């Protein structure tokens, strides 16, 4: 019962698969994450970067462009 965003396991990729191996819960999972982010963003005020002048470091990946870290701060509602 713990959500650890810093969990580092050997498997670095998590996907819904494709074809006959496509996850049956993919649509539900996408809907849940959409609702989660909408709720979080609605409840945060004054979202800002903690280090606005810091260089953005990206993961090395041919398929996706993603940041290694995005340190933010926000005010409680």
């Amino acid at each position: 019962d713990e959500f650890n965003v810093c969990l580092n396991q050997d498997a670095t990729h998590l996907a819904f698969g494709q074809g006959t191996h496509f996850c049956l819960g993919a649509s539900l999972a996408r809907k849940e994450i959409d609702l989660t982010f909408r709720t979080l963003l609605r409840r945060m005020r004054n979202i800002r970067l903690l280090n606005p002048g810091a260089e953005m470091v990206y993961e090395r990946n041919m398929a996706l462009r993603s940041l290694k870290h995005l340190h933010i701060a926000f005010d409680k509602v």
Side-chain angles (χ1 to χ4, degrees):
D1 294 8
E2 180 179 330
F3 178 64
N4 184 350
V5 296
C6 297
L7 187 64
N8 187 8
Q9 295 181 346
D10 293 336
T12 59
H13 181 68
L14 180 66
F16 294 126
Q18 71 185 93
T20 58
H21 299 286
F22 190 73
C23 176
L24 292 175
S27 295
L28 176 60
R30 288 188 177 111
K31 194 65 168 173
E32 287 175 338
I33 199 68
D34 179 60
L35 179 63
T36 300
F37 277 113
R38 287 176 187 269
T39 302
L40 279 173
L41 291 172
R42 193 170 50 246
R43 293 181 181 187
M44 291 184 204
R45 296 291 180 257
N46 191 22
I47 302 171
R48 59 198 176 275
L49 292 173
L50 278 179
N51 302 313
E55 178 185 0
M56 297 291 190
V57 179
Y58 293 89
E59 291 283 349
R60 293 182 57 135
N61 189 321
M62 296 289 287
L64 299 171
R65 180 178 166 106
S66 61
L67 290 169
K68 283 194 172 198
H69 306 281
L70 182 64
H71 299 283
I72 62 169
F74 55 92
D75 300 333
K76 292 182 184 178
V77 174

